[in-house]
Amino acid sequence: MDVVKRRIGLEQEFFLVDEAGYLSDRADEFLQGCHLMAQAQGLNPNYFVAEFVKSIVEINTPPAYTGTELARKYLNNLKLALAVARQMNLRLYPLSSYPLHIRPVMRDRPNYHIQARTVGYDKFLHAGKCTGTHLHLEVAPGVIDPRVGISYNSTSAERKELLNIYNLATACDSALISLTRACPFYEGQAIGLAAHTIRYRGSETFGWEGVYTNLQSVGGLMPYAETVEDLVEQQFARYYAWLQAMEKAGIEPHLFKEAGGSLLKSAWNPIRLNNHGTVEIRSIDSNYPSVILAVIILLENLANRVRRENLTVRPAKGMQIFELVGDRLYVPDFTYLNGELLYASATEGVKNPKVKVYVDSILQFAMGEAGEKANFLAQLSKDMEHYQTIEAEILQEFTPTSDRLPLDAGLRLVRQCCDKLEAQVSWLDEVNLSEANLTPLCLTLPLC
């Protein structure tokens, strides 16, 4: 079946550090340098963006029609950012948490103060101590309406596509957590958990203290939507939950709107609808290009197969894996997905047998999308028993010997990670990425 081509986009957050490995608050100066270099090269400077703390920057890509095109744009912008950093005696640290104790400096902007006051300043600072990667899957133009969630003027086919991509992304949440776990250290401690996941979304159920522990409708994983009406209702329920939390914190609702807030901008969930007309996937740790390229291939194949075969993505009671039956792709039921599976993914990861069989089923389904990329996914699936996350590889060298990571070891880890980021970008810059060679490159590119 022929399908309309949809685009994909990427955002990745990086810590800014000096040459010794210490965190740097020079983001504004760095971004100005990126904007000037981008303009000089005829590139769009708007893809180099400030974050809410002055030690984190975000590097984005323009939307692309294929994973290979996206990879090229991602690497070009990353190469530019690294060049600017080099001129300033700065470096980009690519992993999901800075390994040592830090106290981030928050920008003095109304929207950030509103968020911090609502959830609590100490909790909110967790968001400045970890970084993520966001991948955008485009849906039909205009089907996502910033005012009401989903456009009343959209067609039934467009709404069905949105629903299926949203449910597909939701079903992949624990797999993305497991496969992209990056830095094992948070605030100087090896906590044995996926730090970015637990410190950002939090969980009352599991006792994870994070930004949105007590506001799961705003920052946690939301349930599947059986109908478009369910999805619209979910958007408004979350919006009102946020307004109520603001009111409880003594903040008048009009201040949120005046600071640029809206129905969709009250969402910091792992899977959310974005004003740009995309389903935004936010479950991915910031990581090396080797991991990011693998995730691009995986998610591109998953979404393309659902669209190409016109599949309906639905949870099934008791289901723990992806299972295709006819034109229905059954996925884990939400109670299991956001309960036992989430806990296993954030603790043991792919070492857990239930996580492994779930991830294997996703890779098997993605391999059904014909083409060279299926070979990469088949190899990844074959190696899954021996697959090590970046987090696990770091722990082999930086094995905790005390309650806290020593300063010299933490700085050495930061510098090594910066070295590896630069080495991967340099290596990829020497080859001409194409549809034919992206997959074999991902297979040969060292993970760490």
Side-chain angles (χ1 to χ4, degrees):
M1 170 182 175
D2 292 331
V3 295
V4 177
K5 284 198 171 185
R6 301 288 185 220
R7 296 176 297 175
I8 51 180
L10 186 74
E11 307 168 13
Q12 185 173 357
E13 298 163 344
F14 295 85
F15 288 96
L16 201 61
V17 300
D18 64 20
E19 291 184 322
Y22 289 101
L23 214 60
S24 171
D25 292 331
R26 297 172 64 193
D28 289 340
E29 184 185 350
F30 168 77
L31 290 170
Q32 183 181 25
C34 289
H35 295 164
L36 290 172
M37 185 175 287
Q39 289 170 339
Q41 295 181 10
L43 301 174
N44 190 333
N46 295 328
Y47 294 119
F48 304 89
V49 182
E51 266 297 323
F52 92 95
V53 294
K54 295 183 179 181
S55 49
I56 296 177
V57 296
E58 186 175 277
I59 298 175
N60 301 339
T61 67
Y65 281 104
T66 67
T68 302
E69 182 188 353
L70 182 67
R72 285 197 211 101
K73 292 176 177 179
Y74 163 67
L75 291 166
N76 282 342
N77 285 353
L78 190 47
K79 179 184 172 185
L80 184 152
L82 290 172
V84 172
R86 198 173 303 115
Q87 292 176 356
M88 298 174 61
N89 297 319
L90 295 172
R91 307 187 78 182
L92 294 180
Y93 169 77
L95 301 190
S96 55
S97 59
Y98 185 80
L100 296 166
H101 174 72
I102 54 175
R103 188 75 179 176
V105 177
M106 193 173 84
R107 294 180 181 279
D108 187 16
R109 287 176 51 180
N111 57 326
Y112 297 140
H113 284 294
I114 288 170
Q115 292 176 59
R117 283 179 59 191
T118 303
V119 303
Y121 276 92
D122 287 341
K123 280 186 180 179
F124 192 56
L125 281 181
H126 283 303
K129 298 178 182 180
C130 48
T131 55
T133 302
H134 306 164
L135 194 127
H136 293 256
L137 298 177
E138 187 180 44
V139 291
V143 70
I144 294 177
D145 187 326
R147 299 164 302 167
V148 294
I150 299 175
S151 172
Y152 295 115
N153 297 323
S154 57
T155 67
S156 60
E158 290 170 342
R159 293 193 293 270
K160 179 185 177 184
E161 179 195 358
L162 171 60
L163 200 63
N164 286 323
I165 295 299
Y166 178 84
N167 286 338
L168 174 70
T170 300
C172 290
D173 179 64
S174 286
L176 295 173
I177 292 169
S178 299
L179 293 172
T180 67
R181 288 174 61 155
C183 183
F185 297 102
Y186 187 84
E187 288 284 280
Q189 294 181 306
I191 59 178
L193 298 164
H196 170 238
T197 298
I198 69 162
R199 294 303 181 211
Y200 192 80
R201 70 174 77 177
S203 170
E204 284 187 299
T205 303
F206 303 129
W208 297 337
E209 183 61 33
V211 180
Y212 300 105
T213 296
N214 303 316
L215 274 172
Q216 286 296 287
S217 62
V218 171
L221 188 68
M222 297 303 291
Y224 300 108
E226 290 189 18
T227 65
V228 169
E229 289 74 21
D230 286 344
L231 191 51
V232 171
E233 184 178 328
Q234 189 182 101
Q235 308 309 304
F236 279 97
R238 184 203 57 246
Y239 179 59
Y240 291 129
W242 178 245
L243 295 182
Q244 288 171 5
M246 284 176 49
E247 186 176 358
K248 187 176 179 181
I251 305 169
E252 296 181 16
H254 71 88
L255 295 175
F256 178 60
K257 296 176 183 178
E258 290 168 5
S262 65
L263 175 69
L264 298 185
K265 288 186 177 180
S266 63
W268 294 275
N269 310 90
I271 310 297
R272 70 178 184 183
L273 303 186
N274 190 286
N275 287 342
H276 294 301
T278 65
V279 172
E280 182 181 357
I281 301 170
R282 298 159 52 85
S283 315
I284 307 162
D285 273 12
S286 275
N287 218 312
Y288 296 119
S290 55
V291 177
I292 302 304
L293 295 183
V295 169
I296 289 171
I297 291 175
L298 175 62
L299 290 172
E300 180 188 23
N301 271 34
L302 289 169
N304 282 349
R305 186 172 184 192
V306 166
R307 293 189 185 108
R308 176 171 55 84
E309 298 182 17
N310 195 27
L311 301 177
T312 298
V313 181
R314 286 290 182 271
K317 188 173 178 60
M319 183 66 69
Q320 298 185 354
I321 61 172
F322 277 39
E323 185 172 322
L324 181 61
V325 180
D327 63 354
R328 284 189 170 246
L329 174 62
Y330 291 108
V331 294
D333 71 65
F334 188 74
T335 300
Y336 175 71
L337 177 74
N338 199 45
E340 183 181 348
L341 190 59
L342 171 62
Y343 183 81
S345 299
T347 52
E348 297 178 83
V350 289
K351 296 176 185 175
N352 182 284
K354 288 189 174 181
V355 173
K356 182 183 181 300
V357 72
Y358 152 74
V359 172
D360 278 344
S361 72
I362 293 176
L363 292 170
Q364 288 293 327
F365 174 76
M367 281 186 276
E369 174 71 9
E372 181 69 27
K373 292 171 188 174
N375 295 333
F376 167 68
L377 297 169
Q379 185 64 43
L380 183 58
S381 180
K382 180 180 176 183
D383 292 343
M384 183 57 67
E385 187 174 346
H386 310 289
Y387 180 82
Q388 279 196 317
T389 60
I390 299 302
E391 177 188 77
E393 294 197 4
I394 288 174
L395 283 173
Q396 288 183 347
E397 180 176 355
F398 293 85
T399 304
T401 56
S402 64
D403 290 340
R404 192 162 292 275
L405 182 69
L407 175 63
D408 59 342
L411 293 174
R412 179 163 56 88
L413 170 59
V414 171
R415 294 193 299 269
Q416 283 187 12
C417 293
C418 294
D419 289 343
K420 289 167 185 173
L421 169 67
E422 292 162 11
Q424 287 195 5
V425 173
S426 176
W427 188 82
L428 286 164
D429 188 46
E430 294 177 1
V431 298
N432 181 29
L433 286 180
S434 67
E435 291 293 339
N437 72 8
L438 176 61
T439 297
L441 284 176
C442 281
L443 286 171
T444 57
L445 189 61
L447 284 177
C448 194

